[in-house]
Structure formats: structure tokens, C-alpha cells
Amino acid sequence: MAGMKRPWLALSISLLGPALLSAQEKGNAVPPWPVLTPAESDAPLPGTEKLELEGDLSHRLVEANDAFLDARIAVAREARLAKWKPGSFDADQRRTHLAKLLGLDRDSRIEDTRFEYYSVQKAQLAVAEGLSIYLVRWRAIDGVDGDGLLLEPEGKENPIVADVIAIPDADQTPEELAGLAPDVESETSPFALLLAQAGCRVLVPSLTNREEHAFRMTNREWLHRPAFELGRHLLGYELHQVLAGIDALENTATKKRPVGVVGFGEGGLLSLYAGALDPRLQSVAVSGYFAPRERLWLEPAEHNIFGLLETFGDAEIASLVAPRSLVIESGVYPDFVFRPGENGEPEIIEERPAKTGKPGRFTVPSPQGVTLEWKRLNDLVSGDWQPMAVTANHAVNGETLAAFADGLGLDRFDPARPPIAFKKVYSDPEGHDHVAARHDRQMAAIERHTQRALIQSRQDRQDYFADLKTDSLETFEESIEPYREKFRTEVIGAFDLERLAAHPRTRRYEEGPKTVSYEVVLDVFDGVIAYGILTLPKNLDIDSGEKRPVVVCQHGLEGTPQDVIGEAKFKAYEAFATRLAERGFITFAPQNGYRYFDLFRLQQFKSQSIGKTLFSIIVPQHLQITDWLAELPFVDADRIGFYGLSYGGKAAMRIPPLVDRYCLSICSGDFNEWVWKNAATDPKSLRYSYANKGEYEIFEWNLGGTFNYAEMAAMICPRPFMVERGHFDGVAPDETVGYEFAKVRNLYQARLGIGERCEIEWFPGPHKINGVGSYAFLHRHLDWPEP
């Protein structure tokens, strides 16, 4: 790599300090290390500059990652302009891409869906002059129905002239839009009722609300988490219900009629997306959802769409409505914040919060932000298409509805006409709450669907890996390479940037009876650094040109390099970087960016908004670290191994597949059936599952359909791979660990005949570095004699 040459001094005793003895002088003895004077105590490693950075370098690294991601999100906004030059793209292909980002391609909608009328009392829920309201459901995808209200004009004096889907905000009920909740103070007009009065048959779907779930997150986040892991979205499920609603309206119409969609808040989002995706919608009105989307990462978790901002912002999505009618209303927005701080904005704290859900708010843009996005929309389109902008102080007002009705070709809509009075509203004689029952039914259906998708995901991954060949080691290595590239670009995400010259800065950090350690900082990208601690055995034979193997020792969640060196400050780590150095290995303990609670967790959402992940930065940091290590004169570049515990075990599954210099990987305290651990919601599994835990960043887009841990291990293969597993480790039960490892063992031993390179150590202990079988594994495969 350009710029990576080091001005190393001649290989001599002075490289590590004047007290090192030559090989002839020391024989096999471990020399004493002299007491360093204060002036020498932080001297750099020869051949490197002195590290002058002070303070908490782990915090500096995480903050630098954060600033880098902010800059890349801004770059993505500008880069989209080139993708959307008029005449340079196919709109249908963009619709297909958007549908894929939302997971709509994973499930097929039911053909010939129609309305099922149901009621707790009679066929009608409510009756007014020339109008009836019905409780209806309609099939959307297998196992998930749409459910809500149908407002039908009736009688010769009130013929149906158009069909409309009116979508409430998540914290509104269909009854509010239909004028059936007079005691509820609403942010919107009863716009479903107003349109029905004008001759529209109006379908109002029910959405999952934002109330706090028993697991201290919103109901919407609870459904979003497993769906995201399995390549689906709560937004996708709701769009299936909306689009199936269009099908049902068409299938039950006595003649062809114009169809439109209008919504507020969450319903505005769904209206915008539905209008972009489905050209059957002749008129689209969006209220309370149109803004620059670069702070998508601070919105509720269920708005997180992997890679959205690489291709789409609100303006780009809105442009797909052209040349059909589009009305965008601003000024009123849902007032929703989860985990609000003192200033009313979502709290971002560097310690464990009381709630498990992601902090977020429904975006309330400034008027200037709306204007900016509106200008962008107009710059994106050509010709005579003119969307309409409305500023309102009450959502879905008369001006908006009049413009929307005009887009449908209606001449009967009167914005000044008040809502009609109902002659009769029926209630259940036994007092059953059909609104609550409907909501519970919808949540249960979506959760059941995700759990069915979890069962199906094993077959999905087998289908995904259909092109992998295992008839010989040679064909395996050739056929696994395209999967590594997909993992790199489509799952982990890769920044298309060249790394900088490393420019190593070091200072002596810690010294023990047998080892000496140096803090190391390397440049990676502009503003992004790698940081870690290099530990050297004092009996390293420098002047003979000896080269030793390196073990990169990775900390876990909220950890630092200091946690894995020196004395065992944290029992789980057993100071394994120092213990291995005492056994003769060189070790390096990197700082990975998963520290400081909300600060790093929200970086996952920043990354995912542009099709990246936390590991999109961590992998280049490790590429830089291993390249620098490989050029050290006392390192054998072909013998650099990786060993990580807990979140470091997660790193052991994701980094070595993409860093060729890692010649082996040991996953400690993490290996298990990973997709199950993220997506399972049944009561027995919730003891282990992340679905109800505070690690709200842990979910990775569509791992269920691509890479579980067995598939990640296949990308490490044919390099040696090991799992270190304590029987009492609460990460997962033994049976799911054994189940997933059996697939890895089958690949190495049964199919490729290299079983000696793959093993698991079970030990009667907790979540910790055991340091028995794993140390033997390192000695054997890094070809270093045991002490």
C-alpha cells in the first residue's frame, strides 16, 4: 500500500530498549526489564512518531467515527443528484429498488383480495344520511390482513365517484378519521368522513400504535426488530396492507374509478411511499411527512431503512409520483419523542438508559427544511408537472383536501362543508372494545409472520448459497469469493475510499515482568483513526531477525484495549493479551467503536441509513492495523490471528472474512444461532433473544436471508476457525451453539476434508476467556511452541 513504508532503524537491540540482551547473552532466560526514567517512560516505538494525543483515546475514536458518518451522510445527499438527472433513470426500476429496501419483495400479496365485513353488533358500525361505516378486513399477505373501517356512500343521491385510502397517524385510530371519536382531541380533520361525504368510498386501515410495550420500547419497535433481521419492515407490512387495500377496492368496484391515497404523520409516510410505488394511485396527499431525511438516524427505529439515503430522500420518492397529482402539506406533525431528554429532544447518553428502546422522535422539520426539500423536488422533475404545497395549522385541512379531490377529478368536494351527524353508532352490548381487539389482532399477526419467516430463513440461506461448491478445496475457495464480496458490500457495507498512509504514532504505555506495551494510533480515513495497544514479549530476539506471530485480542461491548492487558481487571477477559504475550506471542488489542451506549448505537443507524454498518469503519481500521503489523520487522505477516470475546466474538465472525491478513479466527462467548438470537420472540427464547433487550443497534438487515454464523464461518474457511464456549454462558443455550457449529464442522470436515482446522472447546464456565483449548489452538496454528 502506498505510503506504508517505515523508516525502521537497523535491526538491533535498541528497537525495544537498551536493556534487551542479545541471543548469545540471554540464552533461554527472560531478561530483567530496567526501571524506566520518567523521560523514557512514554518513549515511542523506534521508527514511529511520538504519540502526543491526550485524554480518553477510545472516546476520541468513537467521536471521530461519528463525525465521519455525518460527513458521509452529507456526501450521500449530494451524490443522489447525479443518480436522478431527468431522463437518466428508469422510474419503474427505482420503484422496484424502493420496494426491495422495504422488504416488499419477500412476500407476495394475496390475489383477488376482497373485503370481509364484520361487526360486533350489526353489519354497520355507524349510519349517517347517505353513508354507512363498516368494520372490514382484507387479506394482504399470507397470515397478515389489513383491518379497519370502510366508509361507503349509499343511495342514488350519493353515488360513489372515487375510491380513497385514508391513513391515520400511528397514534390515531380509524375511528378518529371517520368522525366516530368526538371526545378525542385530534391533530387532523376527520378527513375520511369529509371525503366520504363528497362521494368517495374510503378505506381507513389501522396501524400499530406507538404506545410503550411491556419490554420498554414502543409497540412499533417491538415488531420492527425481528422483521428487520429477516429482511422485512413494519413499514413494509403496513404498505402491503395499503396496497392490498387498493386491490380490494378495485376488486369490489362496480366500475373503474379513480383511486387516491391521503395520510397524516405515519400515514403521510405511507401515502408518500404508496404513491411512489403504485401508479394506480391517481392522486396522493401527504400531510406531516416531508423534509430533508439526513437525520433519519434520530427517528423512531421502525423508520430505519437500510441504504435508503444512498438513492432516496423524500424529494426523490415524491418525484416517482409524477406525473400524477401530488399535494404536500406541512406545518403540523405528530408530537412524538421516545426517551425525551431535558430539552424535549431524544436523549443521547453515554451510560445505560432505563428503557430498552431506541431514542427517537418523529421529525418536525423547520419551514426552511421543508422549503429546501421542496426546491429539490422541483429540481428533480421536468416538464409541466406541478405538485402543490400547502402550509396548514390543522392537519389535512380543506385546502389540502380540495386539491387532493381535484386530482381525483371530483367536482363535489366542498371544503367548507362540516362533517355530517350520525343517526346511529352501534356498540357491543357486552362492552367489548373492538378498537383494542383489532390492534392486538394486528400486532399478533405481524409477530406470527416474523416467527414463520424465522423458521423459513434457514431455507432462504440455503437457497442464497446455492452456488457454493464444496467438491474440492479449490472450487470452494473460488465459489466462496463472490459471497465474501456480497457480505462486504451488501451486508457489512463498504466505503469507496482509499485508506490514508498509517502515519503511526506510539508511546510506551505499560510494562510487566515479561512484557512491554505501547499505545498506537494510526490514520485510516480523513479524521478516522485506529487505536490500540501493542504488547511485546521482552525475550523477543530482535538482532537475529526473529519474526513472531501476532494475536489480535479484541475486547467486548463497552470495552477498551486496557481491559485485556496487564492484570485481570475484568475477570471475563483474564488479561488475555498479556497472558498470550507472556507465552511468546506478540499481541495487539484494538479499540473497536462499540462503546459509550447511545453514542455508538446511533452510529449504527447513521451507518445503516447509507447502506453501511458499524463494521464499515471497523473493518478498514483492522485492515490498517494488520498492514502496519505486517511491516514490523519482528512480525511474521503470515501468522496474524484474531481472538475476540463477546462483542469481540461478533467481530471474530465479521472482520476476518474481510481481512485477508487474519490467518485464523477464534470466536469466544458469542457463537450461536445468531438469526434466532436476534429475531425470536417466543417466551422461552426471550431469555436469550435481543428482541427485548437494550442493544437496539444489534439488528442487521436481512441476515436471515443471507448470512447466519455458519455462513460467516464459511467465509473464514479454509483458514482455521475455533469456538470457545462456556456451558454456563448466558449468550445462548448449548443446543443452539451446537446446532450452528455442526454446520461449520460439516463444511470443514465432511465436505472439505480439513477438520483439523475447525474445533470447539466446551468448558464448565461462564462468559469468559478460558484460555486452555484456545491457547493450544493458537500455538498449533500459529506455529509457536507452548511454554
Side-chain angles (χ1 to χ4, degrees):
M1 178 179 174
M4 293 292 290
K5 291 185 178 180
R6 309 289 179 223
W8 288 106
L9 303 179
L11 296 182
S12 67
I13 292 175
S14 66
L15 187 62
L16 295 181
L20 275 180
L21 305 176
S22 69
Q24 291 81 6
E25 292 173 314
K26 70 184 180 182
N28 293 323
V30 177
W33 193 267
V35 176
L36 300 176
T37 65
E40 295 178 305
S41 63
D42 61 352
L45 193 68
T48 68
E49 292 184 15
K50 173 78 174 296
L51 175 59
E52 302 289 357
L53 293 176
E54 299 295 337
D56 184 345
L57 297 189
S58 68
H59 199 277
R60 185 184 289 263
L61 180 144
V62 173
E63 286 185 319
N65 291 353
D66 201 55
F68 173 78
L69 289 170
D70 288 340
R72 300 316 301 175
I73 291 172
V75 167
R77 180 177 175 86
E78 294 307 309
R80 288 200 304 271
L81 290 174
K83 298 179 180 180
W84 288 86
K85 290 181 180 178
S88 68
F89 63 91
D90 181 277
D92 286 336
Q93 289 180 353
R94 291 288 160 88
R95 292 186 181 100
T96 299
H97 182 50
L98 180 59
K100 185 174 183 179
L101 293 180
L102 291 160
L104 292 172
D105 61 324
R106 301 305 304 275
D107 303 289
S108 300
R109 289 207 308 276
I110 300 296
E111 295 182 5
D112 196 32
T113 188
R114 294 172 182 270
F115 296 120
E116 174 192 348
Y117 293 75
Y118 71 96
S119 175
V120 294
Q121 173 69 12
K122 296 184 177 181
Q124 297 155 313
L125 177 65
V127 179
E129 184 68 35
L131 176 68
S132 291
I133 301 178
Y134 300 90
L135 293 167
V136 295
R137 64 173 65 98
W138 61 100
R139 299 188 69 194
I141 58 177
D142 188 22
V144 177
D145 296 340
D147 207 333
L149 300 182
L150 182 64
L151 289 71
E152 286 200 340
E154 294 177 340
K156 293 181 180 180
E157 301 299 321
N158 196 24
I160 300 173
V161 295
D163 287 325
V164 170
I165 297 186
I167 313 176
D169 179 53
D171 284 337
Q172 292 180 305
T173 66
E175 284 70 17
E176 289 180 50
L177 271 57
L180 294 174
D183 297 333
V184 176
E185 185 177 346
S186 180
E187 295 173 291
T188 71
S189 67
F191 58 93
L193 178 60
L194 297 175
L195 289 165
Q197 292 175 188
C200 297
R201 185 171 57 150
V202 183
L203 179 64
V204 190
S206 172
L207 305 184
T208 299
N209 66 35
R210 303 189 190 97
E211 291 179 6
E212 188 168 326
H213 191 275
F215 293 122
R216 296 178 299 162
M217 66 187 79
T218 67
N219 286 328
R220 294 181 68 79
E221 183 171 354
W222 167 252
L223 294 178
H224 167 78
R225 288 181 172 197
F228 191 83
E229 190 77 10
L230 297 163
R232 294 163 174 85
H233 273 279
L234 175 59
L235 297 179
Y237 282 114
E238 291 173 336
L239 280 165
H240 272 306
Q241 292 168 330
V242 169
L243 299 177
I246 300 172
D247 298 338
L249 288 168
E250 287 191 334
N251 292 337
T252 56
T254 56
K255 62 180 181 180
K256 187 172 179 61
R257 294 192 286 258
V259 184
V261 63
V262 53
F264 167 69
E266 208 76 50
L269 181 161
L270 295 170
S271 295
L272 177 64
Y273 281 51
L277 290 167
D278 198 328
R280 294 178 296 175
L281 292 165
Q282 183 174 317
S283 187
V284 178
V286 176
S287 175
Y289 188 86
F290 185 79
R293 209 47 64 185
E294 278 58 51
R295 286 173 67 84
L296 183 66
W297 56 273
L298 200 54
E299 295 188 31
E302 65 273 12
H303 288 189
N304 182 33
I305 301 172
F306 186 77
L308 180 72
L309 300 185
E310 287 187 301
T311 307
F312 300 101
D314 284 5
E316 288 83 1
I317 295 171
S319 74
L320 293 176
V321 177
R324 294 164 286 135
S325 173
L326 174 64
V327 185
I328 294 177
E329 181 188 82
S330 62
V332 183
Y333 305 89
D335 182 16
F336 173 76
V337 182
F338 188 75
R339 283 182 50 195
E342 292 182 359
N343 62 356
E345 293 297 309
E347 64 173 356
I348 302 174
I349 57 177
E350 297 180 10
E351 57 190 27
R352 184 173 295 280
K355 296 184 186 292
T356 58
K358 174 190 177 294
R361 76 162 301 143
F362 197 97
T363 294
V364 178
S366 67
Q368 294 80 5
V370 175
T371 300
L372 182 67
E373 197 69 8
W374 181 257
K375 180 180 183 303
R376 187 180 179 95
L377 170 59
N378 283 278
D379 290 343
L380 289 173
V381 296
S382 58
D384 297 329
W385 185 61
Q386 290 293 323
M388 180 174 178
V390 175
T391 301
N393 55 22
H394 192 64
V396 198
N397 68 10
E399 184 182 2
T400 297
L401 288 175
F404 172 71
D406 187 61
L408 291 171
L410 305 187
D411 56 9
R412 292 170 48 190
F413 184 80
D414 179 2
R417 183 183 177 187
I420 59 175
F422 290 98
K423 295 180 179 178
K424 179 69 175 177
V425 178
Y426 298 97
S427 59
D428 188 280
E430 297 181 7
H432 294 151
D433 184 350
H434 77 270
V435 174
R438 178 180 60 208
H439 186 267
D440 292 346
R441 188 166 60 241
Q442 289 231 281
M443 282 194 66
I446 293 173
E447 184 177 345
R448 277 196 306 272
H449 193 275
T450 63
Q451 298 313 287
R452 282 175 47 195
L454 174 58
I455 295 169
Q456 175 62 31
S457 67
R458 182 185 179 189
Q459 184 61 53
D460 292 341
R461 293 189 298 276
Q462 289 177 346
D463 294 343
Y464 184 76
F465 270 81
D467 293 331
L468 183 65
K469 294 177 172 49
T470 58
D471 52 310
S472 72
L473 193 55
E474 292 72 24
T475 58
F476 169 79
E477 291 189 89
E478 181 179 350
S479 62
I480 195 66
E481 204 55 41
Y483 289 101
R484 284 198 187 100
E485 183 61 15
K486 289 180 180 180
F487 186 67
R488 185 181 76 87
T489 58
E490 298 176 12
V491 176
I492 296 298
F495 289 107
D496 187 21
L497 297 170
E498 287 192 19
R499 284 178 284 136
L500 302 175
H503 185 210
R505 286 90 77 199
T506 68
R507 62 178 167 231
R508 200 171 300 181
Y509 176 73
E510 188 174 80
E511 178 190 338
K514 300 180 181 180
T515 64
V516 60
S517 298
Y518 290 82
E519 285 188 294
V520 179
V521 169
L522 309 172
D523 292 333
V524 181
F525 297 136
D526 187 20
V528 175
I529 61 171
Y531 164 61
I533 295 178
L534 177 73
T535 300
L536 305 173
K538 287 183 178 178
N539 65 353
L540 181 61
D541 194 350
I542 298 301
D543 58 343
S544 70
E546 178 187 18
K547 292 179 180 286
R548 292 200 186 182
V550 179
V551 182
V552 173
C553 300
Q554 192 61 64
H555 64 76
L557 181 65
E558 296 294 331
T560 67
Q562 287 78 2
D563 295 339
V564 304
I565 68 168
E567 298 305 315
K569 291 179 287 186
F570 294 94
K571 186 65 176 174
Y573 292 121
E574 298 288 352
F576 72 117
T578 298
R579 300 292 86 80
L580 286 166
E582 291 170 348
R583 299 173 77 93
F585 296 102
I586 295 167
T587 67
F588 190 87
Q591 177 69 59
N592 279 358
Y594 36 77
R595 192 171 186 222
Y596 301 109
F597 292 90
D598 288 331
L599 184 58
F600 94 81
R601 291 198 160 99
L602 290 173
Q603 287 177 17
Q604 177 82 318
F605 287 82
K606 289 184 178 185
S607 300
Q608 288 179 335
S609 74
I610 53 174
K612 309 298 188 290
T613 64
L614 289 173
F615 284 95
S616 302
I617 298 177
I618 294 171
V619 167
Q621 287 167 330
H622 280 255
L623 288 166
Q624 197 78 314
I625 288 166
T626 54
D627 280 351
W628 177 71
L629 288 171
E631 292 197 2
L632 294 174
F634 43 82
V635 166
D636 185 336
D638 295 326
R639 292 187 290 166
I640 303 176
F642 188 96
Y643 185 1
L645 171 68
S646 195
Y647 223 113
K650 294 170 181 56
M653 302 307 302
R654 290 161 178 79
I655 298 173
L658 304 178
V659 179
D660 290 340
R661 287 199 184 276
Y662 284 130
C663 68
L664 62 79
S665 182
I666 301 176
C667 176
S668 178
D670 188 68
F671 188 91
N672 69 102
E673 213 280 44
W674 182 252
V675 173
W676 163 83
K677 182 172 175 61
N678 282 267
T681 61
D682 61 281
K684 182 178 179 181
S685 297
L686 285 177
R687 173 184 173 187
Y688 305 101
S689 176
Y690 279 121
N692 63 340
K693 304 298 190 300
E695 287 83 352
Y696 57 81
E697 88 296 343
I698 207 77
F699 307 95
E700 296 159 283
W701 172 245
N702 195 26
L703 282 193
T706 54
F707 298 91
N708 205 340
Y709 271 11
E711 289 77 22
M712 293 184 199
M715 294 185 296
I716 296 169
C717 184
R719 291 168 286 174
F721 174 71
M722 181 182 177
V723 171
E724 186 176 48
R725 162 68 187 178
H727 286 299
F728 308 122
D729 191 331
V731 163
D734 278 351
E735 55 265 31
T736 62
V737 177
Y739 166 78
E740 194 68 11
F741 183 77
K743 292 181 275 185
V744 182
R745 182 68 178 170
N746 177 271
L747 173 66
Y748 273 81
Q749 183 174 29
R751 291 194 274 170
L752 297 178
I754 53 173
E756 73 282 356
R757 302 184 195 179
C758 176
E759 63 183 82
I760 186 169
E761 181 192 31
W762 304 88
F763 64 92
H767 188 73
K768 67 184 289 285
I769 295 288
N770 192 46
V772 180
S774 57
Y775 286 6
F777 185 86
L778 290 168
H779 281 286
R780 181 165 67 256
H781 291 289
L782 293 179
D783 192 22
W784 186 254
E786 295 204 40

